[in-house]
Amino acid sequence: MGALPIESAGTVIAGLFHGFATDAGADSSVGREALGTDVGALAALDSAFTGAALELTHATVVVDGRPKRVVIVGLGERPAFDASVLRSAATVAARAIGSADRSAVVSLLAARSASADEVAAVLEGHLFGAWEYERPGSRPAPTGLLTVALPAD
């Protein structure tokens, strides 16, 4: 995956498949390099989180002495997984972050993606989720930096 700008990120987004507790494998370890901890172990702290499609949980980890918010989104069942699931997961995660916390976000949702369609879906989902209606005369919401981790190969 290479080095990610985790030190500047306030929020990290990761995804887990349904049943991650019994089948974590590479799915759960995607964030281990970036966060220094297993995403599955973080998700397991929320006993209600199962990894069902678009389910959310949050955790906080300390990386290099700084707290990082981790938003974990369920990716559903592996056989049903495709680009549309990734797009929806990215949208839900971006909405969960909210405009107040978008200064610097690192998304790990595309880190396991095998196709350009899946990577594009993650980017589209983050854009859809970040969109907010601006009333005429209102101040625009602050924007931030989104970094999307891509597969190593």
Side-chain angles (χ1 to χ4, degrees), residues 3 11 21 24 30 40 44 54 60 63 67 69 83 90-91 96 98 104 111 120 135 142-143 146:
T11 303
V30 167
L54 310 183
T60 302
V63 178
R69 179 179 177 199
T91 300
R135 296 182 189 274
T143 58
L146 170 68

Side-chain angles (χ1 to χ4, degrees), residues 36-110:
T37 190
D38 190 277
V39 175
L42 291 175
L45 296 173
D46 179 351
S47 61
F49 183 81
T50 65
L54 310 183
E55 183 179 27
L56 284 170
T57 191
H58 305 262
T60 302
V61 297
V62 177
V63 178
D64 296 329
R66 294 182 158 175
K68 307 294 176 192
R69 179 179 177 199
V70 182
V71 175
I72 305 167
V73 62
L75 301 176
E77 301 291 338
R78 284 182 193 266
F81 181 74
D82 62 11
S84 67
V85 171
L86 272 175
R87 184 178 299 105
S88 296
T91 300
V92 166
R95 290 210 184 282
I97 292 169
S99 61
D101 204 13
R102 284 194 199 129
S103 59
V105 176
V106 172
S107 176
L108 303 177
L109 292 176

